[in-house]
Amino acid sequence: MDLREFIDIVGKDNVLTDKVDVIPYTKDASFFTGKIPYAVLLPQNVNQVSSIMRICQRDDIQVTVRGGGSSLTGSSILAEEGVILSMARFDRILETAIEDRYVVAEAGVKLDYLNSHLSKYGHFYPPDPASSIAATVGGSISTNAGGLRAAMYGATKEWVLGLEVVLPDGTIIQTGGKVLKRSIGYDLTALMVGSEGTLGVITKAILKIAPLPESYGRIMVYYKSIEEAGRAISSLKKRGITPLIAEFMDRISMDSITHTKGIKFPEDAQYLLLIDISSTHESLDKKLNEAAEILKSTDILGMRITKDPEEMAVMYQARKGLYSSQLSEREKPGEYVIIGDIVVPASRLPKTLSEIKGSIENYGLKVALFGHIGDGNIHANIFADVNNSEQMKRVNDFMMELGRIALRNEGSVSSEHGIGIEKIELLKEEYRYKNSLKNLDIMREIKKIFDPKNILNRGKMF
Amino acid sequence: MNLLNELMQETEKCINCGFCESVCPTLPFMGYRATYGARGRVFISRESLRELNSTGVISLNIGDSIFSCLECYACYYVCPAGVNPGKVSQMMRTIINRENKNRKNVADMIVRAIIRRKNPLGIRERMSSWAADIDFDRKSDTLLYTGGMYQLMAYSSFLSRIEGKLDVKTVERLASILKDKPELLGLIAIPERRMKERMEKILRDIVFLLKRSGIDFNYLDKEEPYSGAFLYELGYMDEFINYGKYLRDLFLSRGIKRIITLDPHTHEALKILYPKYVENFNFQVYHYLELINLQLRKGNERFVYHQPCHFTMHEDFDVPLGFITKMGVTILPDRNGKSNFCCGGPAELLYPKLANSISNERFKQLKEKGGDRIITACPICFANLSKDSTVFDISEVIREYLNK
């Protein structure tokens, strides 16, 4: 491949071709390994992206855009040979408008960095994927990331007001804007959210922000029965309580935190619910007590209530790093943790969790169950040796069954990680189940309009 | 467990989540190239180890990636899987040095100077001029051990400024000549006058504080060797262990039982590393601030404290913070404690441009806090952050705040 044109655009130092420089881009946080890129390009402004895309479209060069490289489904690695477009140098926060409640940030800004900036103004950007320390504005928009606070604030799609996008032919478009309401035809901003880099390159975003909760406290409650844990959440919601965070984890998950972070849990506890309640300073105790009383009406093993910021921060960080911590529970190094990510309505949680537990036993797999249970999101992390074909068949079958359980319970096969390489079959399964395979045809047609030569993130989603 | 197995086990724990990369100081200043971030370093280390295991060689050019790591350990404290990419880099340097490929001439040059002349720049005899008019207790079994760290900063600042003006290849070529002739290194080691005067004043302040606290101690004058910390940090483990034996025997031959260190690097080497790697390295090691027992004034001055990584990330040594809080209002930068941001100093001799970019960023972070003065407790941090007149070593401020 002739790289001279790319070098002219971004400079020699920003076109990486040495093997040692490009191989780290064959991996993201998923268990997939991508193709070795011909080159990694590191543009710094939208015009450079535009020029790069024009060349790629002209020469039919496959492009995968990479933000923080924290994808769990393989959406930020190359499924076919091509170049990686790293957005790392798009690292500026351009505008902070507190009175209008928005912030303008470049695509490569990390979410924790963004929130550290906003906290100085008493505000925050609520989407909070567990990987927020590494995840970027652009990447989280591309996967419609959810996270811990989605229980109260919803996923990323609720918080994106507008975008700057470079199309595969190099055209730069602006979608949406700086206002909360807008009614001007098809919502192209919404279309870009969750499109996983298949339609265009997001270079900049206008994001809605919110005031930080005045105060919050935490209830940690332990269960023996998975169904009771599920019932606790639906009971809270039935009584009108929306937690700031409602996380769930099983014994394997708790053990992994003990092994990596030294945090101990009651020995007889099989399941933990971690529930944060936000409120004004004056009414926090009352709200915490209300929630605690409801939870006590379920069959609990124990409960702890705290408002200690340090204690809450330690456990919060442990929860955010849970996926990686689970590696400590592998039987051998090199074994992978493959992530399931489904969602169901809160009222279906007890039945869903019970069905998943039964399915795990049927397939004879080691699976850690946890998730953002406040919005019905359950992660089923499977410990697997990817070189063991018999085991991998069972893993794939279990993943399909997990998706079907979600669908039978009126949920979805993918909650917040996207489709990437991993869930292509599950995406079909969802539309097949809903007798709506036409949706996939429509999506393919949309893809053709944006990207007629199919150069953007080929091999993902479809 | 041997080094290769230990490294393989450490790197195989990583799942590429990228948490470490987001706090790595070198990544943005090396153009966001993944190889120059913590995740990239672990990844290429794992690939290299697998290759080494299967073919017996490492074909990737991993030297600059691995040697540019600051070993600040910010990465370690955010890794949910418990991987320490900083430690991986340190151990990979040992693999590189043993494999004899991807070695850095500048590192080799420093190491040979330490081994042959007991000083990273081969100028041991110039390290004691600050103490010419001080009376030490020649019979004391307590040793004031500077390791030459404060003194060296005047020379390394000058060298890194010259290096910063040259490209990496030219520096490596020069180092390839000088590494076999460490005695010539002294010829180009010219101190920056003002830095030398400042560092010597700091050393005299420390002696004053110790003496005022009633501590008696000896000093080795021109015979005082360097601590060997660089040998460990640069991954020359065999040399580090042998050097530790040399230090042990020297101290024993002088009847030393108790050692007072002045800086975090020397403190870590003597207190933690040598006892771990060198048999019978059993001295009582104290940082001088642990021994000072003096009445201090409490003022209203606002001190922004830059914590040395080797105190907060490698050890849990908070003594300087206690002194600062006694004297005035303590302000910590946003990145402090276990999420500290390095001063860039560890890259100073091998990658001076990188070190300068990182120190500029850290200086900006410290200034943004709006304090009256910036305080450090490490000569390397001091030399790298000393970009205006508001930066002080903690000993200088303690001396100012002594009750008369």
Side-chain angles (χ1 to χ4, degrees):
Chain A
M1 179 184 287
D2 186 356
L3 298 167
R4 278 175 298 187
E5 282 185 286
F6 293 132
I7 291 170
D8 288 344
I9 296 165
V10 293
K12 191 166 168 280
D13 287 347
N14 297 306
V15 178
L16 312 182
T17 53
D18 285 352
K19 190 177 176 192
V20 71
D21 286 329
V22 299
I23 56 170
Y25 297 87
T26 60
K27 291 295 288 184
D28 52 21
S30 71
F31 69 93
F32 297 103
T33 300
K35 300 280 184 200
I36 295 177
Y38 295 131
V40 175
L41 310 175
L42 291 137
Q44 195 171 29
N45 61 57
V46 67
N47 291 325
Q48 289 178 348
V49 175
S50 168
S51 303
I52 288 168
M53 291 311 300
R54 259 198 301 276
I55 293 166
C56 291
Q57 165 132 315
R58 183 195 70 201
D59 296 349
D60 230 335
I61 299 168
Q62 215 277 124
V63 181
T64 288
V65 185
R66 186 174 170 105
S70 56
S71 169
L72 295 167
T73 60
S75 57
S76 55
I77 54 174
L78 282 161
E80 297 183 24
E81 284 172 348
V83 298
I84 291 279
L85 191 67
S86 167
M87 302 304 287
R89 294 172 74 213
F90 280 71
D91 61 356
R92 293 177 306 160
I93 296 168
L94 302 171
E95 187 186 349
T96 307
I98 299 302
E99 67 276 29
D100 292 325
R101 292 270 165 84
Y102 71 79
V103 63
V104 183
E106 291 187 320
V109 171
K110 311 260 186 202
L111 295 182
D112 275 5
Y113 178 76
L114 178 66
N115 272 324
S116 163
H117 166 79
L118 291 170
S119 69
K120 291 171 189 160
Y121 302 90
H123 280 64
F124 76 128
Y125 171 65
D128 182 30
S131 59
S132 59
I133 189 173
T136 59
V137 164
S140 58
I141 291 172
S142 295
T143 50
N144 189 18
L148 283 70
R149 291 193 286 246
M152 177 171 273
Y153 295 98
T156 300
K157 72 182 170 65
E158 317 290 345
W159 296 89
V160 184
L161 293 174
L163 296 170
E164 179 181 79
V165 179
V166 179
L167 301 179
D169 67 356
T171 307
I172 302 166
I173 62 165
Q174 311 289 333
T175 73
K178 295 177 176 176
V179 289
L180 291 176
K181 296 198 292 187
R182 182 181 298 268
S183 182
I184 53 165
Y186 298 146
D187 187 349
L188 295 183
T189 306
L191 182 60
M192 293 304 300
V193 178
S195 62
E196 297 187 34
T198 60
L199 301 179
V201 182
I202 296 168
T203 50
K204 187 166 77 182
I206 305 162
L207 305 167
K208 205 161 50 166
I209 57 177
L212 282 163
E214 194 176 301
S215 65
Y216 68 99
R218 176 165 301 157
I219 306 170
M220 308 252 287
V221 54
Y222 299 97
Y223 289 92
K224 193 171 181 185
S225 147
I226 195 167
E227 280 172 281
E228 279 300 297
R231 207 179 322 281
I233 293 300
S234 49
S235 302
L236 282 176
K237 290 203 156 180
K238 206 184 285 177
R239 298 280 291 275
I241 294 176
T242 303
L244 174 66
I245 287 170
E247 294 294 311
F248 154 81
M249 60 182 81
D250 69 357
R251 190 71 226 182
I252 298 174
S253 305
M254 285 187 269
D255 286 344
S256 73
I257 287 176
T258 302
H259 294 147
T260 56
K261 299 288 171 193
I263 300 171
K264 293 193 173 143
F265 302 94
E267 280 179 15
D268 56 347
Q270 294 306 307
Y271 302 97
L272 161 66
L273 287 186
L274 183 156
I275 292 165
D276 283 5
I277 302 289
S278 64
S279 179
T280 58
H281 291 302
E282 293 78 16
S283 61
L284 180 61
D285 286 337
K286 182 170 166 275
K287 298 252 181 187
L288 277 170
N289 287 335
E290 271 175 26
E293 285 307 312
I294 295 167
L295 293 167
K296 278 179 191 165
S297 70
T298 56
D299 190 8
I300 67 170
L301 288 173
M303 177 184 284
R304 174 170 170 69
I305 301 175
T306 180
K307 291 185 288 182
D308 176 26
E310 203 171 315
E311 185 185 343
M312 290 194 287
V314 168
M315 189 61 204
Y316 184 71
Q317 289 308 326
R319 165 58 192 92
K320 289 190 98 170
L322 181 54
Y323 166 43
S324 303
S325 296
Q326 285 171 347
L327 297 175
S328 66
E329 305 307 300
R330 292 180 296 184
E331 277 163 22
K332 55 183 179 185
E335 192 176 67
Y336 279 84
V337 176
I338 298 166
I339 302 185
D341 170 39
I342 62 161
V343 60
V344 296
S347 62
R348 299 296 189 115
L349 278 168
K351 181 167 172 280
T352 306
L353 287 167
S354 172
E355 285 181 35
I356 293 171
K357 196 158 179 273
S359 180
I360 292 169
E361 282 160 17
N362 286 346
Y363 284 92
L365 293 165
K366 180 178 175 182
V367 179
L369 283 177
F370 65 106
H372 317 302
I373 200 166
D375 54 28
N377 186 177
I378 303 161
H379 295 308
N381 282 9
I382 311 152
F383 294 79
D385 176 356
V386 292
N387 297 317
N388 180 338
S389 55
E390 183 278 324
Q391 192 186 40
M392 282 309 289
K393 184 179 179 315
R394 275 188 290 135
V395 169
N396 290 332
D397 290 347
F398 171 74
M399 287 289 263
M400 289 304 287
E401 179 57 20
L402 187 67
R404 288 186 194 110
I405 290 171
L407 293 170
R408 284 201 298 273
N409 286 288
E410 300 183 56
S412 176
V413 300
S414 178
S415 175
E416 56 176 5
H417 297 165
I419 300 301
I421 299 169
E422 187 183 39
K423 290 183 182 154
I424 292 173
E425 282 309 309
L426 277 166
L427 177 68
K428 287 182 197 155
E429 184 69 14
E430 175 151 345
Y431 286 124
R432 198 178 293 126
Y433 183 83
K434 292 175 176 169
N435 287 323
S436 297
L437 281 170
K438 182 71 181 170
N439 286 23
L440 281 177
D441 294 338
I442 294 168
M443 285 161 71
R444 285 193 192 98
E445 290 304 312
I446 291 171
K447 165 79 171 164
K448 271 186 204 160
I449 293 165
F450 277 81
D451 184 16
K453 291 178 96 171
N454 191 17
I455 60 165
L456 273 177
N457 225 3
R458 197 182 291 169
K460 315 288 169 63
M461 281 175 82
F462 307 112
Chain B
M1 194 188 304
N2 72 31
L3 179 66
L4 196 59
N5 286 342
E6 194 181 342
L7 260 169
M8 296 223 18
Q9 206 170 74
E10 187 76 357
T11 56
E12 295 289 349
K13 283 194 294 190
C14 171
I15 50 121
N16 292 285
C17 69
F19 286 22
C20 56
E21 190 174 270
S22 63
V23 297
C24 179
T26 58
L27 183 74
F29 299 106
M30 294 299 276
Y32 283 113
R33 292 146 70 183
T35 310
Y36 290 90
R39 171 167 55 175
R41 291 190 180 102
V42 174
F43 181 85
I44 60 169
S45 296
R46 185 171 57 205
E47 293 300 301
S48 299
L49 293 167
R50 286 175 181 169
E51 187 186 19
L52 186 62
N53 224 8
S54 60
T55 68
V57 291
I58 294 175
S59 61
L60 291 170
N61 294 318
I62 60 173
D64 284 326
S65 164
I66 297 299
F67 277 97
S68 61
C69 170
L70 304 167
E71 293 179 56
C72 66
Y73 290 6
C75 45
Y76 171 53
Y77 291 101
V78 297
C79 177
V83 180
N84 186 343
K87 183 76 182 146
V88 167
S89 289
Q90 190 271 335
M91 290 193 288
M92 275 307 289
R93 288 171 186 174
T94 304
I95 298 282
I96 286 171
N97 294 331
R98 284 181 189 167
E99 290 303 303
N100 210 16
K101 186 171 179 271
N102 287 305
R103 289 171 77 121
K104 304 303 295 176
N105 284 323
V106 175
D108 282 346
M109 177 184 79
I110 293 167
V111 167
R112 288 188 196 177
I114 294 169
I115 293 166
R116 290 192 206 166
R117 300 183 68 84
K118 315 303 179 205
N119 182 282
L121 299 178
I123 50 172
R124 171 163 63 156
E125 63 286 354
R126 290 193 230 168
M127 298 290 100
S128 56
S129 57
W130 67 277
D133 53 357
I134 297 174
D135 287 329
F136 295 99
D137 178 356
R138 298 302 176 189
K139 289 182 181 159
S140 174
D141 60 5
T142 300
L143 180 71
L144 179 80
Y145 181 58
T146 76
M149 285 295 283
Y150 275 92
Q151 302 92 309
L152 278 165
M153 291 306 108
Y155 298 87
S156 60
S157 296
F158 179 80
L159 280 177
S160 68
R161 198 125 51 100
I162 294 176
E163 279 183 61
K165 291 187 172 129
L166 305 171
D167 63 76
V168 173
K169 279 183 187 162
T170 308
V171 172
E172 275 291 291
R173 267 200 299 274
L174 273 174
S176 73
I177 299 163
L178 287 169
K179 71 182 182 185
D180 292 324
K181 298 182 176 61
E183 62 281 5
L184 294 182
L185 199 51
L187 298 176
I188 59 161
I190 300 161
E192 276 189 349
R193 186 180 54 82
R194 267 198 283 182
M195 182 67 83
K196 183 170 184 284
E197 287 170 2
R198 184 77 176 268
M199 290 302 189
E200 293 192 343
K201 177 188 163 294
I202 290 170
L203 288 168
R204 283 193 292 270
D205 281 345
I206 292 171
V207 167
F208 174 85
L209 295 172
L210 284 166
K211 288 195 166 192
R212 184 91 178 255
S213 300
I215 316 284
D216 293 321
F217 44 86
N218 198 352
Y219 175 58
L220 295 176
D221 296 300
K222 287 186 178 174
E223 286 180 68
E224 184 191 57
Y226 171 67
S227 72
F230 266 143
L231 300 173
Y232 180 83
E233 290 161 17
L234 293 170
Y236 293 75
M237 283 308 290
D238 297 336
E239 292 85 348
F240 175 70
I241 291 166
N242 285 332
Y243 197 80
K245 289 176 186 165
Y246 155 76
L247 284 182
R248 176 197 62 196
D249 296 344
L250 174 72
F251 295 149
L252 287 174
S253 72
R254 299 303 178 93
I256 302 302
K257 291 185 177 150
R258 199 160 75 140
I259 299 171
I260 304 171
T261 64
L262 313 188
D263 72 276
H265 294 261
T266 306
H267 188 71
E268 186 189 8
L270 268 66
K271 175 112 183 170
I272 296 171
L273 299 175
Y274 284 132
K276 183 175 170 188
Y277 293 103
V278 178
E279 262 181 54
N280 300 321
F281 199 98
N282 300 321
F283 303 95
Q284 294 171 53
V285 178
Y286 297 95
H287 185 269
Y288 79 92
L289 288 176
E290 293 177 285
L291 303 173
I292 289 176
N293 183 17
L294 298 167
Q295 291 295 312
L296 301 177
R297 277 187 296 117
K298 174 78 179 175
N300 295 320
E301 213 178 345
R302 291 167 307 140
F303 297 118
V304 182
Y305 177 42
H306 166 78
Q307 295 161 295
C309 297
H310 283 254
F311 274 167
T312 59
M313 315 276 242
H314 291 226
E315 297 186 51
D316 284 312
F317 189 81
D318 275 342
V319 178
L321 196 56
F323 274 91
I324 294 166
T325 308
K326 272 184 204 166
M327 296 185 289
V329 180
T330 308
I331 303 171
L332 292 174
D334 291 348
R335 285 194 57 180
N336 66 74
K338 300 298 183 196
S339 65
N340 205 35
F341 193 93
C342 179
C343 69
E348 192 184 25
L349 285 174
L350 268 70
Y351 302 93
K353 284 179 185 161
L354 172 66
N356 192 42
S357 303
I358 293 170
S359 68
N360 284 338
E361 171 61 23
R362 183 53 166 173
F363 183 67
K364 194 176 105 202
Q365 293 172 8
L366 296 166
K367 290 301 273 186
E368 275 171 1
K369 300 313 284 185
D372 299 313
R373 284 199 264 185
I374 293 168
I375 298 185
T376 71
C378 167
I380 298 178
C381 300
F382 178 85
N384 276 273
L385 296 170
S386 214
K387 294 176 193 291
D388 71 15
S389 59
T390 65
V391 182
F392 285 79
D393 185 81
I394 189 166
S395 60
E396 298 176 290
V397 184
I398 292 175
R399 182 157 186 183
E400 257 183 65
Y401 272 76
L402 279 184
N403 266 336
K404 304 290 178 205

